[in-house]
Amino acid sequence: GESVGLHLPTLSVQEGDNSIINCAYSNSASDYFIWYKQESGKGPQFIIDIRSNMDKRQGQRVTVLLNKTVKHLSLQIAATQPGDSAVYFCAENTGTASKLTFGTGTRLQVTL
Amino acid sequence: ETGVTQTPRHLVMGMTNKKSLKCEQHLGHNAMYWYKQSAKKPLELMFVYNFKEQTENNSVPSRFSPECPNSSHLFLHLHTLQPEDSALYLCASSQDYGRAVRFFGPGTRLTVL
């Protein structure tokens, strides 16, 4: 989930298990959402996006679910691998897609 | 590699120094962005340029001065910074202003002493 403050929430998952990372967004008018992955020492990397007219979208090993009723977004990673260890954060957009509002993120730790 | 490069990767400067951050994108995009990422806050948009013209200044203090000489290059000129300006400064690009940002550079880790 999202975090306020210096310490990010951490999700620890065993290699091979599925991961679910959650995000609560703030604006009911938001119509576009993105998940990013940020590895240590690197910039954010686009993972997957979803528009508000969809409830689910699948990519390679990742699925994003959108529940507009409760303003909740989740990222599911199948068969989590050590290379998935990173901070994951969501972003929401209202209006111009360039102007995204970002969450603070969740740290995913993959244990062997 | 995302196609967006930034230099330097690390920078330490005193409050009276003047320095510049450089960003270059090799994607043929028309819009470029500066973001600030600090430990206590989510990513904050600072500036947006579309076709070399500044389209957004997100109430950024004047001690940060952006420059976009062409669609492929973006600079952030720094002077008389404060210790609270220490952060990771990220450059990003998108095909056009109005499309979501998908490509970020690796960032410049700035420390102001």
Side-chain angles (χ1 to χ4, degrees), chain B residues 6-54:
Chain B
Q6 290 186 244
T7 54
R9 294 294 308 276
H10 300 271
L11 179 63
V12 179
M13 59 187 290
M15 289 191 285
T16 59
N17 291 160
K18 289 185 180 181
K19 296 288 184 182
S20 295
L21 310 184
K22 179 182 176 182
C23 174
E24 184 174 0
Q25 57 97 358
H26 312 274
L27 302 166
H29 288 171
N30 298 312
M32 296 187 75
Y33 309 75
W34 280 116
Y35 284 90
K36 176 183 179 182
Q37 187 177 40
S38 54
K40 300 180 181 180
K41 297 181 180 179
L43 221 57
E44 299 172 68
L45 178 65
M46 299 175 72
F47 302 103
V48 183
Y49 277 82
N50 191 42
F51 290 97
K52 304 188 299 178
E53 299 297 321
Q54 188 178 124

mmCIF file of all heavy atoms in Angstrom, chain B residues 6-54:
data_model
loop_
_atom_site.group_PDB
_atom_site.id
_atom_site.type_symbol
_atom_site.label_atom_id
_atom_site.label_comp_id
_atom_site.label_asym_id
_atom_site.label_seq_id
_atom_site.Cartn_x
_atom_site.Cartn_y
_atom_site.Cartn_z
ATOM 1 N N GLN B 6 21.444 11.024 -18.301
ATOM 2 C CA GLN B 6 21.626 12.179 -17.443
ATOM 3 C C GLN B 6 23.062 12.238 -16.956
ATOM 4 O O GLN B 6 23.662 11.203 -16.628
ATOM 5 C CB GLN B 6 20.698 12.115 -16.219
ATOM 6 C CG GLN B 6 19.240 12.319 -16.539
ATOM 7 C CD GLN B 6 18.390 12.389 -15.293
ATOM 8 O OE1 GLN B 6 17.533 11.542 -15.050
ATOM 9 N NE2 GLN B 6 18.613 13.419 -14.480
ATOM 10 N N THR B 7 23.605 13.440 -16.881
ATOM 11 C CA THR B 7 24.928 13.655 -16.298
ATOM 12 C C THR B 7 24.909 14.927 -15.460
ATOM 13 O O THR B 7 24.154 15.866 -15.778
ATOM 14 C CB THR B 7 26.005 13.803 -17.394
ATOM 15 O OG1 THR B 7 25.610 14.838 -18.304
ATOM 16 C CG2 THR B 7 26.208 12.512 -18.148
ATOM 17 N N PRO B 8 25.685 14.971 -14.368
ATOM 18 C CA PRO B 8 26.385 13.831 -13.797
ATOM 19 C C PRO B 8 25.419 12.901 -13.067
ATOM 20 O O PRO B 8 24.260 13.242 -12.867
ATOM 21 C CB PRO B 8 27.347 14.509 -12.815
ATOM 22 C CG PRO B 8 26.606 15.726 -12.367
ATOM 23 C CD PRO B 8 25.822 16.198 -13.559
ATOM 24 N N ARG B 9 25.876 11.755 -12.665
ATOM 25 C CA ARG B 9 25.032 10.842 -11.890
ATOM 26 C C ARG B 9 25.025 11.236 -10.415
ATOM 27 O O ARG B 9 24.028 10.989 -9.720
ATOM 28 C CB ARG B 9 25.531 9.407 -12.041
ATOM 29 C CG ARG B 9 25.387 8.851 -13.452
ATOM 30 C CD ARG B 9 23.907 8.703 -13.862
ATOM 31 N NE ARG B 9 23.151 7.968 -12.869
ATOM 32 C CZ ARG B 9 23.082 6.655 -12.803
ATOM 33 N NH1 ARG B 9 23.712 5.915 -13.700
ATOM 34 N NH2 ARG B 9 22.360 6.061 -11.871
ATOM 35 N N HIS B 10 26.104 11.830 -9.957
ATOM 36 C CA HIS B 10 26.192 12.290 -8.574
ATOM 37 C C HIS B 10 26.818 13.681 -8.566
ATOM 38 O O HIS B 10 27.732 13.962 -9.346
ATOM 39 C CB HIS B 10 27.064 11.348 -7.728
ATOM 40 C CG HIS B 10 26.551 9.940 -7.683
ATOM 41 N ND1 HIS B 10 25.651 9.505 -6.736
ATOM 42 C CD2 HIS B 10 26.800 8.881 -8.487
ATOM 43 C CE1 HIS B 10 25.373 8.232 -6.956
ATOM 44 N NE2 HIS B 10 26.055 7.827 -8.011
ATOM 45 N N LEU B 11 26.320 14.535 -7.670
ATOM 46 C CA LEU B 11 26.828 15.889 -7.573
ATOM 47 C C LEU B 11 26.746 16.360 -6.137
ATOM 48 O O LEU B 11 25.691 16.246 -5.505
ATOM 49 C CB LEU B 11 26.022 16.824 -8.478
ATOM 50 C CG LEU B 11 26.399 18.295 -8.476
ATOM 51 C CD1 LEU B 11 27.821 18.485 -8.987
ATOM 52 C CD2 LEU B 11 25.427 19.097 -9.328
ATOM 53 N N VAL B 12 27.860 16.864 -5.645
ATOM 54 C CA VAL B 12 27.896 17.476 -4.315
ATOM 55 C C VAL B 12 28.266 18.932 -4.527
ATOM 56 O O VAL B 12 29.247 19.238 -5.214
ATOM 57 C CB VAL B 12 28.921 16.783 -3.400
ATOM 58 C CG1 VAL B 12 28.950 17.454 -2.034
ATOM 59 C CG2 VAL B 12 28.607 15.303 -3.249
ATOM 60 N N MET B 13 27.491 19.817 -3.974
ATOM 61 C CA MET B 13 27.774 21.236 -4.155
ATOM 62 C C MET B 13 27.490 22.024 -2.887
ATOM 63 O O MET B 13 26.638 21.624 -2.068
ATOM 64 C CB MET B 13 26.983 21.809 -5.330
ATOM 65 C CG MET B 13 25.486 21.696 -5.226
ATOM 66 S SD MET B 13 24.637 22.222 -6.739
ATOM 67 C CE MET B 13 24.919 24.002 -6.712
ATOM 68 N N GLY B 14 28.211 23.119 -2.759
ATOM 69 C CA GLY B 14 27.970 24.026 -1.648
ATOM 70 C C GLY B 14 26.845 24.978 -2.000
ATOM 71 O O GLY B 14 26.413 25.080 -3.154
ATOM 72 N N MET B 15 26.341 25.652 -1.009
ATOM 73 C CA MET B 15 25.188 26.527 -1.208
ATOM 74 C C MET B 15 25.494 27.723 -2.096
ATOM 75 O O MET B 15 24.590 28.318 -2.682
ATOM 76 C CB MET B 15 24.643 26.982 0.143
ATOM 77 C CG MET B 15 23.953 25.861 0.912
ATOM 78 S SD MET B 15 23.044 26.446 2.344
ATOM 79 C CE MET B 15 24.397 26.777 3.461
ATOM 80 N N THR B 16 26.759 28.068 -2.245
ATOM 81 C CA THR B 16 27.090 29.224 -3.080
ATOM 82 C C THR B 16 27.534 28.829 -4.489
ATOM 83 O O THR B 16 27.799 29.685 -5.320
ATOM 84 C CB THR B 16 28.209 30.054 -2.419
ATOM 85 O OG1 THR B 16 29.360 29.211 -2.241
ATOM 86 C CG2 THR B 16 27.748 30.599 -1.088
ATOM 87 N N ASN B 17 27.600 27.540 -4.747
ATOM 88 C CA ASN B 17 28.056 27.078 -6.066
ATOM 89 C C ASN B 17 26.990 27.265 -7.136
ATOM 90 O O ASN B 17 25.800 27.415 -6.842
ATOM 91 C CB ASN B 17 28.415 25.581 -6.009
ATOM 92 C CG ASN B 17 29.648 25.291 -5.180
ATOM 93 O OD1 ASN B 17 29.838 24.161 -4.740
ATOM 94 N ND2 ASN B 17 30.482 26.285 -4.964
ATOM 95 N N LYS B 18 27.465 27.210 -8.380
ATOM 96 C CA LYS B 18 26.576 27.141 -9.535
ATOM 97 C C LYS B 18 26.932 25.883 -10.318
ATOM 98 O O LYS B 18 28.103 25.689 -10.648
ATOM 99 C CB LYS B 18 26.743 28.353 -10.451
ATOM 100 C CG LYS B 18 26.210 29.651 -9.914
ATOM 101 C CD LYS B 18 26.333 30.743 -10.966
ATOM 102 C CE LYS B 18 25.790 32.062 -10.449
ATOM 103 N NZ LYS B 18 25.874 33.133 -11.481
ATOM 104 N N LYS B 19 25.943 25.082 -10.587
ATOM 105 C CA LYS B 19 26.171 23.849 -11.351
ATOM 106 C C LYS B 19 24.996 23.635 -12.292
ATOM 107 O O LYS B 19 23.942 24.268 -12.147
ATOM 108 C CB LYS B 19 26.285 22.644 -10.413
ATOM 109 C CG LYS B 19 27.459 22.667 -9.462
ATOM 110 C CD LYS B 19 28.771 22.415 -10.185
ATOM 111 C CE LYS B 19 29.931 22.355 -9.179
ATOM 112 N NZ LYS B 19 31.230 22.161 -9.870
ATOM 113 N N SER B 20 25.170 22.714 -13.231
ATOM 114 C CA SER B 20 24.098 22.388 -14.168
ATOM 115 C C SER B 20 23.951 20.883 -14.307
ATOM 116 O O SER B 20 24.952 20.155 -14.341
ATOM 117 C CB SER B 20 24.381 23.001 -15.539
ATOM 118 O OG SER B 20 24.372 24.399 -15.484
ATOM 119 N N LEU B 21 22.719 20.446 -14.404
ATOM 120 C CA LEU B 21 22.404 19.054 -14.710
ATOM 121 C C LEU B 21 22.020 18.978 -16.185
ATOM 122 O O LEU B 21 21.348 19.869 -16.708
ATOM 123 C CB LEU B 21 21.246 18.542 -13.861
ATOM 124 C CG LEU B 21 21.321 18.779 -12.362
ATOM 125 C CD1 LEU B 21 20.135 18.110 -11.661
ATOM 126 C CD2 LEU B 21 22.633 18.296 -11.786
ATOM 127 N N LYS B 22 22.445 17.884 -16.809
ATOM 128 C CA LYS B 22 22.172 17.724 -18.239
ATOM 129 C C LYS B 22 21.362 16.461 -18.489
ATOM 130 O O LYS B 22 21.569 15.435 -17.835
ATOM 131 C CB LYS B 22 23.482 17.638 -19.016
ATOM 132 C CG LYS B 22 23.302 17.452 -20.510
ATOM 133 C CD LYS B 22 24.642 17.319 -21.216
ATOM 134 C CE LYS B 22 24.466 17.029 -22.709
ATOM 135 N NZ LYS B 22 25.759 16.854 -23.403
ATOM 136 N N CYS B 23 20.450 16.564 -19.426
ATOM 137 C CA CYS B 23 19.637 15.415 -19.832
ATOM 138 C C CYS B 23 19.587 15.370 -21.355
ATOM 139 O O CYS B 23 19.455 16.408 -22.021
ATOM 140 C CB CYS B 23 18.231 15.538 -19.263
ATOM 141 S SG CYS B 23 17.092 14.257 -19.835
ATOM 142 N N GLU B 24 19.672 14.176 -21.894
ATOM 143 C CA GLU B 24 19.563 13.994 -23.331
ATOM 144 C C GLU B 24 18.686 12.787 -23.616
ATOM 145 O O GLU B 24 18.838 11.752 -22.971
ATOM 146 C CB GLU B 24 20.949 13.787 -23.950
ATOM 147 C CG GLU B 24 20.942 13.688 -25.467
ATOM 148 C CD GLU B 24 22.347 13.637 -26.057
ATOM 149 O OE1 GLU B 24 23.324 13.674 -25.281
ATOM 150 O OE2 GLU B 24 22.451 13.559 -27.293
ATOM 151 N N GLN B 25 17.764 12.938 -24.548
ATOM 152 C CA GLN B 25 16.937 11.780 -24.926
ATOM 153 C C GLN B 25 17.157 11.454 -26.407
ATOM 154 O O GLN B 25 17.275 12.355 -27.244
ATOM 155 C CB GLN B 25 15.451 12.011 -24.594
ATOM 156 C CG GLN B 25 14.810 13.227 -25.223
ATOM 157 C CD GLN B 25 14.049 12.956 -26.495
ATOM 158 O OE1 GLN B 25 13.999 11.830 -26.985
ATOM 159 N NE2 GLN B 25 13.446 14.002 -27.048
ATOM 160 N N HIS B 26 17.221 10.146 -26.662
ATOM 161 C CA HIS B 26 17.532 9.638 -27.998
ATOM 162 C C HIS B 26 16.320 8.936 -28.601
ATOM 163 O O HIS B 26 16.458 7.983 -29.360
ATOM 164 C CB HIS B 26 18.716 8.657 -27.901
ATOM 165 C CG HIS B 26 19.859 9.169 -27.104
ATOM 166 N ND1 HIS B 26 20.851 9.953 -27.640
ATOM 167 C CD2 HIS B 26 20.177 9.046 -25.784
ATOM 168 C CE1 HIS B 26 21.728 10.265 -26.704
ATOM 169 N NE2 HIS B 26 21.340 9.734 -25.562
ATOM 170 N N LEU B 27 15.131 9.391 -28.221
ATOM 171 C CA LEU B 27 13.904 8.697 -28.598
ATOM 172 C C LEU B 27 13.084 9.461 -29.617
ATOM 173 O O LEU B 27 12.037 8.975 -30.032
ATOM 174 C CB LEU B 27 13.064 8.450 -27.333
ATOM 175 C CG LEU B 27 13.778 7.633 -26.253
ATOM 176 C CD1 LEU B 27 13.026 7.720 -24.930
ATOM 177 C CD2 LEU B 27 13.909 6.178 -26.695
ATOM 178 N N GLY B 28 13.507 10.657 -29.952
ATOM 179 C CA GLY B 28 12.726 11.458 -30.882
ATOM 180 C C GLY B 28 11.469 12.041 -30.282
ATOM 181 O O GLY B 28 10.529 12.395 -31.008
ATOM 182 N N HIS B 29 11.446 12.132 -28.952
ATOM 183 C CA HIS B 29 10.276 12.672 -28.266
ATOM 184 C C HIS B 29 10.256 14.192 -28.315
ATOM 185 O O HIS B 29 11.284 14.844 -28.504
ATOM 186 C CB HIS B 29 10.268 12.212 -26.802
ATOM 187 C CG HIS B 29 9.940 10.763 -26.648
ATOM 188 N ND1 HIS B 29 10.055 10.104 -25.434
ATOM 189 C CD2 HIS B 29 9.495 9.841 -27.540
ATOM 190 C CE1 HIS B 29 9.682 8.837 -25.597
ATOM 191 N NE2 HIS B 29 9.348 8.660 -26.864
ATOM 192 N N ASN B 30 9.056 14.740 -28.130
ATOM 193 C CA ASN B 30 8.900 16.191 -28.199
ATOM 194 C C ASN B 30 8.755 16.861 -26.841
ATOM 195 O O ASN B 30 8.871 18.078 -26.742
ATOM 196 C CB ASN B 30 7.669 16.525 -29.048
ATOM 197 C CG ASN B 30 7.817 16.024 -30.472
ATOM 198 O OD1 ASN B 30 8.844 16.235 -31.109
ATOM 199 N ND2 ASN B 30 6.807 15.333 -30.970
ATOM 200 N N ALA B 31 8.451 16.090 -25.812
ATOM 201 C CA ALA B 31 8.246 16.663 -24.484
ATOM 202 C C ALA B 31 9.295 16.127 -23.519
ATOM 203 O O ALA B 31 9.619 14.932 -23.542
ATOM 204 C CB ALA B 31 6.848 16.317 -23.972
ATOM 205 N N MET B 32 9.826 17.012 -22.683
ATOM 206 C CA MET B 32 10.817 16.621 -21.689
ATOM 207 C C MET B 32 10.452 17.232 -20.340
ATOM 208 O O MET B 32 9.819 18.292 -20.267
ATOM 209 C CB MET B 32 12.226 17.052 -22.111
ATOM 210 C CG MET B 32 12.696 16.361 -23.389
ATOM 211 S SD MET B 32 14.409 16.704 -23.798
ATOM 212 C CE MET B 32 15.275 15.683 -22.585
ATOM 213 N N TYR B 33 10.867 16.540 -19.278
ATOM 214 C CA TYR B 33 10.413 16.865 -17.928
ATOM 215 C C TYR B 33 11.570 16.823 -16.931
ATOM 216 O O TYR B 33 12.480 16.015 -17.077
ATOM 217 C CB TYR B 33 9.379 15.837 -17.453
ATOM 218 C CG TYR B 33 8.235 15.581 -18.391
ATOM 219 C CD1 TYR B 33 8.415 14.820 -19.543
ATOM 220 C CD2 TYR B 33 6.966 16.080 -18.115
ATOM 221 C CE1 TYR B 33 7.361 14.579 -20.414
ATOM 222 C CE2 TYR B 33 5.900 15.839 -18.975
ATOM 223 C CZ TYR B 33 6.107 15.092 -20.118
ATOM 224 O OH TYR B 33 5.058 14.843 -20.980
ATOM 225 N N TRP B 34 11.473 17.659 -15.913
ATOM 226 C CA TRP B 34 12.300 17.515 -14.725
ATOM 227 C C TRP B 34 11.398 17.149 -13.553
ATOM 228 O O TRP B 34 10.374 17.815 -13.318
ATOM 229 C CB TRP B 34 13.041 18.799 -14.385
ATOM 230 C CG TRP B 34 14.277 19.055 -15.194
ATOM 231 C CD1 TRP B 34 14.509 20.086 -16.057
ATOM 232 C CD2 TRP B 34 15.476 18.278 -15.195
ATOM 233 N NE1 TRP B 34 15.754 19.990 -16.606
ATOM 234 C CE2 TRP B 34 16.380 18.883 -16.096
ATOM 235 C CE3 TRP B 34 15.887 17.109 -14.539
ATOM 236 C CZ2 TRP B 34 17.650 18.385 -16.343
ATOM 237 C CZ3 TRP B 34 17.157 16.607 -14.791
ATOM 238 C CH2 TRP B 34 18.024 17.242 -15.683
ATOM 239 N N TYR B 35 11.811 16.108 -12.809
ATOM 240 C CA TYR B 35 11.136 15.700 -11.591
ATOM 241 C C TYR B 35 12.142 15.722 -10.434
ATOM 242 O O TYR B 35 13.323 15.477 -10.628
ATOM 243 C CB TYR B 35 10.598 14.268 -11.699
ATOM 244 C CG TYR B 35 9.367 14.091 -12.521
ATOM 245 C CD1 TYR B 35 9.449 13.816 -13.882
ATOM 246 C CD2 TYR B 35 8.109 14.176 -11.945
ATOM 247 C CE1 TYR B 35 8.306 13.635 -14.650
ATOM 248 C CE2 TYR B 35 6.952 13.997 -12.694
ATOM 249 C CZ TYR B 35 7.066 13.723 -14.047
ATOM 250 O OH TYR B 35 5.933 13.539 -14.801
ATOM 251 N N LYS B 36 11.609 15.945 -9.239
ATOM 252 C CA LYS B 36 12.411 15.851 -8.026
ATOM 253 C C LYS B 36 11.890 14.676 -7.206
ATOM 254 O O LYS B 36 10.667 14.550 -7.002
ATOM 255 C CB LYS B 36 12.308 17.138 -7.209
ATOM 256 C CG LYS B 36 13.032 17.101 -5.873
ATOM 257 C CD LYS B 36 12.813 18.395 -5.103
ATOM 258 C CE LYS B 36 13.514 18.347 -3.750
ATOM 259 N NZ LYS B 36 13.270 19.602 -2.951
ATOM 260 N N GLN B 37 12.809 13.822 -6.747
ATOM 261 C CA GLN B 37 12.424 12.696 -5.908
ATOM 262 C C GLN B 37 13.228 12.755 -4.621
ATOM 263 O O GLN B 37 14.434 12.545 -4.610
ATOM 264 C CB GLN B 37 12.659 11.363 -6.628
ATOM 265 C CG GLN B 37 12.112 10.167 -5.862
ATOM 266 C CD GLN B 37 12.282 8.860 -6.629
ATOM 267 O OE1 GLN B 37 13.304 8.625 -7.268
ATOM 268 N NE2 GLN B 37 11.263 7.996 -6.580
ATOM 269 N N SER B 38 12.563 13.063 -3.532
ATOM 270 C CA SER B 38 13.229 13.083 -2.234
ATOM 271 C C SER B 38 12.668 11.972 -1.378
ATOM 272 O O SER B 38 11.597 11.421 -1.649
ATOM 273 C CB SER B 38 13.071 14.440 -1.549
ATOM 274 O OG SER B 38 11.718 14.803 -1.473
ATOM 275 N N ALA B 39 13.404 11.659 -0.316
ATOM 276 C CA ALA B 39 13.091 10.472 0.480
ATOM 277 C C ALA B 39 11.736 10.578 1.177
ATOM 278 O O ALA B 39 11.108 9.593 1.463
ATOM 279 C CB ALA B 39 14.190 10.231 1.504
ATOM 280 N N LYS B 40 11.282 11.742 1.434
ATOM 281 C CA LYS B 40 10.081 11.901 2.237
ATOM 282 C C LYS B 40 8.827 12.176 1.430
ATOM 283 O O LYS B 40 7.747 12.311 1.996
ATOM 284 C CB LYS B 40 10.292 13.036 3.241
ATOM 285 C CG LYS B 40 11.444 12.801 4.203
ATOM 286 C CD LYS B 40 11.607 13.953 5.185
ATOM 287 C CE LYS B 40 12.784 13.695 6.111
ATOM 288 N NZ LYS B 40 12.960 14.803 7.083
ATOM 289 N N LYS B 41 8.986 12.277 0.107
ATOM 290 C CA LYS B 41 7.847 12.682 -0.715
ATOM 291 C C LYS B 41 7.749 11.855 -1.993
ATOM 292 O O LYS B 41 8.738 11.289 -2.441
ATOM 293 C CB LYS B 41 7.988 14.146 -1.113
ATOM 294 C CG LYS B 41 7.981 15.135 0.031
ATOM 295 C CD LYS B 41 8.103 16.549 -0.521
ATOM 296 C CE LYS B 41 8.106 17.573 0.581
ATOM 297 N NZ LYS B 41 8.240 18.954 0.033
ATOM 298 N N PRO B 42 6.579 11.815 -2.583
ATOM 299 C CA PRO B 42 6.452 11.198 -3.911
ATOM 300 C C PRO B 42 7.156 12.043 -4.964
ATOM 301 O O PRO B 42 7.534 13.183 -4.705
ATOM 302 C CB PRO B 42 4.933 11.186 -4.153
ATOM 303 C CG PRO B 42 4.308 11.479 -2.842
ATOM 304 C CD PRO B 42 5.296 12.274 -2.071
ATOM 305 N N LEU B 43 7.263 11.497 -6.134
ATOM 306 C CA LEU B 43 7.852 12.217 -7.260
ATOM 307 C C LEU B 43 7.110 13.537 -7.481
ATOM 308 O O LEU B 43 5.880 13.566 -7.542
ATOM 309 C CB LEU B 43 7.706 11.344 -8.500
ATOM 310 C CG LEU B 43 8.840 11.248 -9.487
ATOM 311 C CD1 LEU B 43 10.101 10.778 -8.807
ATOM 312 C CD2 LEU B 43 8.469 10.310 -10.609
ATOM 313 N N GLU B 44 7.886 14.621 -7.621
ATOM 314 C CA GLU B 44 7.274 15.932 -7.824
ATOM 315 C C GLU B 44 7.670 16.489 -9.184
ATOM 316 O O GLU B 44 8.866 16.595 -9.483
ATOM 317 C CB GLU B 44 7.785 16.920 -6.758
ATOM 318 C CG GLU B 44 7.491 16.564 -5.327
ATOM 319 C CD GLU B 44 8.210 17.512 -4.382
ATOM 320 O OE1 GLU B 44 7.843 18.702 -4.357
ATOM 321 O OE2 GLU B 44 9.143 17.077 -3.678
ATOM 322 N N LEU B 45 6.676 16.853 -9.962
ATOM 323 C CA LEU B 45 6.946 17.473 -11.253
ATOM 324 C C LEU B 45 7.467 18.886 -11.026
ATOM 325 O O LEU B 45 6.895 19.658 -10.257
ATOM 326 C CB LEU B 45 5.676 17.506 -12.093
ATOM 327 C CG LEU B 45 5.770 18.168 -13.459
ATOM 328 C CD1 LEU B 45 6.701 17.389 -14.376
ATOM 329 C CD2 LEU B 45 4.389 18.298 -14.089
ATOM 330 N N MET B 46 8.559 19.231 -11.726
ATOM 331 C CA MET B 46 9.118 20.577 -11.609
ATOM 332 C C MET B 46 8.810 21.400 -12.872
ATOM 333 O O MET B 46 8.212 22.469 -12.785
ATOM 334 C CB MET B 46 10.630 20.500 -11.409
ATOM 335 C CG MET B 46 11.068 19.762 -10.170
ATOM 336 S SD MET B 46 12.858 19.594 -10.071
ATOM 337 C CE MET B 46 13.347 21.277 -9.693
ATOM 338 N N PHE B 47 9.267 20.912 -14.002
ATOM 339 C CA PHE B 47 9.123 21.650 -15.252
ATOM 340 C C PHE B 47 8.749 20.700 -16.391
ATOM 341 O O PHE B 47 9.141 19.544 -16.384
ATOM 342 C CB PHE B 47 10.438 22.345 -15.640
ATOM 343 C CG PHE B 47 10.979 23.306 -14.628
ATOM 344 C CD1 PHE B 47 12.048 22.949 -13.814
ATOM 345 C CD2 PHE B 47 10.434 24.570 -14.490
ATOM 346 C CE1 PHE B 47 12.562 23.837 -12.883
ATOM 347 C CE2 PHE B 47 10.934 25.469 -13.565
ATOM 348 C CZ PHE B 47 11.992 25.098 -12.758
ATOM 349 N N VAL B 48 8.022 21.262 -17.369
ATOM 350 C CA VAL B 48 7.710 20.536 -18.584
ATOM 351 C C VAL B 48 8.033 21.417 -19.778
ATOM 352 O O VAL B 48 7.691 22.611 -19.786
ATOM 353 C CB VAL B 48 6.218 20.136 -18.655
ATOM 354 C CG1 VAL B 48 5.957 19.303 -19.916
ATOM 355 C CG2 VAL B 48 5.791 19.372 -17.428
ATOM 356 N N TYR B 49 8.679 20.820 -20.772
ATOM 357 C CA TYR B 49 8.934 21.491 -22.035
ATOM 358 C C TYR B 49 8.294 20.690 -23.153
ATOM 359 O O TYR B 49 8.413 19.466 -23.192
ATOM 360 C CB TYR B 49 10.439 21.619 -22.300
ATOM 361 C CG TYR B 49 11.076 22.790 -21.611
ATOM 362 C CD1 TYR B 49 11.448 22.708 -20.269
ATOM 363 C CD2 TYR B 49 11.292 23.981 -22.281
ATOM 364 C CE1 TYR B 49 12.022 23.791 -19.628
ATOM 365 C CE2 TYR B 49 11.874 25.065 -21.656
ATOM 366 C CZ TYR B 49 12.235 24.966 -20.318
ATOM 367 O OH TYR B 49 12.804 26.039 -19.681
ATOM 368 N N ASN B 50 7.623 21.374 -24.055
ATOM 369 C CA ASN B 50 7.030 20.740 -25.225
ATOM 370 C C ASN B 50 7.518 21.494 -26.453
ATOM 371 O O ASN B 50 7.309 22.704 -26.562
ATOM 372 C CB ASN B 50 5.506 20.780 -25.125
ATOM 373 C CG ASN B 50 4.848 19.911 -26.174
ATOM 374 O OD1 ASN B 50 5.300 18.800 -26.444
ATOM 375 N ND2 ASN B 50 3.765 20.398 -26.742
ATOM 376 N N PHE B 51 8.179 20.779 -27.356
ATOM 377 C CA PHE B 51 8.772 21.426 -28.536
ATOM 378 C C PHE B 51 9.608 22.644 -28.121
ATOM 379 O O PHE B 51 9.482 23.731 -28.688
ATOM 380 C CB PHE B 51 7.695 21.866 -29.534
ATOM 381 C CG PHE B 51 7.024 20.726 -30.230
ATOM 382 C CD1 PHE B 51 5.806 20.235 -29.787
ATOM 383 C CD2 PHE B 51 7.611 20.129 -31.335
ATOM 384 C CE1 PHE B 51 5.183 19.172 -30.425
ATOM 385 C CE2 PHE B 51 6.991 19.067 -31.994
ATOM 386 C CZ PHE B 51 5.776 18.600 -31.533
ATOM 387 N N LYS B 52 10.430 22.472 -27.126
ATOM 388 C CA LYS B 52 11.389 23.469 -26.610
ATOM 389 C C LYS B 52 10.733 24.601 -25.834
ATOM 390 O O LYS B 52 11.439 25.448 -25.289
ATOM 391 C CB LYS B 52 12.235 24.081 -27.737
ATOM 392 C CG LYS B 52 13.011 23.114 -28.585
ATOM 393 C CD LYS B 52 13.948 23.843 -29.537
ATOM 394 C CE LYS B 52 13.192 24.729 -30.493
ATOM 395 N NZ LYS B 52 14.093 25.487 -31.400
ATOM 396 N N GLU B 53 9.438 24.637 -25.757
ATOM 397 C CA GLU B 53 8.766 25.706 -25.038
ATOM 398 C C GLU B 53 8.319 25.207 -23.657
ATOM 399 O O GLU B 53 7.749 24.120 -23.535
ATOM 400 C CB GLU B 53 7.535 26.184 -25.814
ATOM 401 C CG GLU B 53 7.850 26.762 -27.196
ATOM 402 C CD GLU B 53 8.709 27.998 -27.107
ATOM 403 O OE1 GLU B 53 8.489 28.819 -26.189
ATOM 404 O OE2 GLU B 53 9.622 28.154 -27.946
ATOM 405 N N GLN B 54 8.550 26.030 -22.646
ATOM 406 C CA GLN B 54 8.152 25.635 -21.301
ATOM 407 C C GLN B 54 6.636 25.711 -21.181
ATOM 408 O O GLN B 54 6.033 26.763 -21.421
ATOM 409 C CB GLN B 54 8.807 26.538 -20.254
ATOM 410 C CG GLN B 54 8.572 26.055 -18.834
ATOM 411 C CD GLN B 54 9.262 26.917 -17.775
ATOM 412 O OE1 GLN B 54 8.636 27.423 -16.871
ATOM 413 N NE2 GLN B 54 10.559 27.100 -17.911
#
